[in-house]
Amino acid sequence: FDLRLGIGRGELPELARMAFDAASRSETDTAMRKALAGALEAANGLPEAADLIRRREDPHFQVVAAYLLDRVKPDIVVANFAWTAGLLRMLPASVCKILDTHDIQHLRSEAHTLVGGEAVRADKAVEIEAWGAADYVVAIQAAEKDLIIKTSGRNNVILAGHAARPLAAARKGEPG
């Protein structure tokens, strides 16, 4: 929100309360109202999480986004990164939910941990739970696709590789 709409992170709690109030007064689906209420309640007094995915989740964002999506009534919603999966859980079953992983965060965090980067620790179980919120999960590498299927037990993974192939590193003295 802050990049595209000019809404700062500090304004999200108030927007979330406004979205919930508007949903309560409208013809919003009962399940959606309950999901909004649950997310808003969860946002109050959240302790700082050690896990990267939990730390980046923002229930206020999820309430505002779910409310806006309820107004637009899309057929498909694509969420980016595991920490946005909470939004997918709030949407009605009629919406096709896609989660674009961009990377497997717990593998990335394992690599960082090897060099002392505890700040980016991502919990494998939390990430697998996030994948479960989606009807389809997008992986960018075949090995990631296979791992997601193996660890989640679901064969709902779409392989969408990079649009451009990486160039071989230029050798010394050759034009790059």
Side-chain angles (χ1 to χ4, degrees):
F1 280 115
D2 56 351
L3 295 177
R4 296 218 164 94
L5 300 177
I7 298 170
R9 189 169 214 79
E11 297 169 279
L12 280 175
E14 181 60 25
L15 282 173
R17 283 188 288 283
M18 290 170 56
F20 176 72
D21 290 345
S24 298
R25 292 188 309 271
S26 70
E27 296 178 17
T28 302
D29 176 84
T30 303
M32 175 60 78
R33 278 198 301 268
K34 285 182 182 177
L36 291 172
L40 197 53
E41 185 177 316
N44 296 325
L46 277 178
E48 181 68 21
D51 174 67
L52 173 76
I53 296 169
R54 292 281 189 238
R55 212 171 41 247
R56 289 189 174 173
E57 286 178 336
D58 187 336
H60 291 120
F61 164 79
Q62 293 171 4
V63 168
V64 173
Y67 173 75
L68 294 173
L69 290 169
D70 185 60
R71 297 286 158 249
V72 176
K73 303 210 181 309
D75 294 323
I76 299 170
V77 170
V78 179
N80 289 293
F81 298 103
W83 48 86
T84 61
L87 168 64
L88 298 178
R89 289 185 195 93
M90 298 170 69
L91 300 175
S94 60
V95 175
C96 178
K97 301 160 197 72
I98 300 172
L99 179 62
D100 187 345
T101 62
H102 292 275
D103 266 321
I104 295 181
Q105 299 301 314
H106 72 267
L107 292 181
R108 178 183 274 195
S109 77
E110 287 172 9
H112 284 278
T113 302
L114 290 174
V115 293
E118 186 62 26
V120 294
R121 186 183 73 74
D123 186 276
K124 181 178 180 178
V126 171
E127 188 163 23
I128 292 170
E129 177 187 324
W131 299 335
D135 297 319
Y136 299 97
V137 177
V138 177
I140 60 173
Q141 297 177 27
E144 289 179 347
K145 175 185 176 185
D146 295 342
L147 184 68
I148 293 169
I149 292 169
K150 180 180 174 185
T151 56
S152 70
R154 298 174 64 205
N155 191 10
N156 64 336
V157 186
I158 300 165
L159 178 61
H162 295 286
R165 297 196 186 280
L167 297 175
R171 293 185 199 134
K172 191 174 182 176
E174 289 184 5

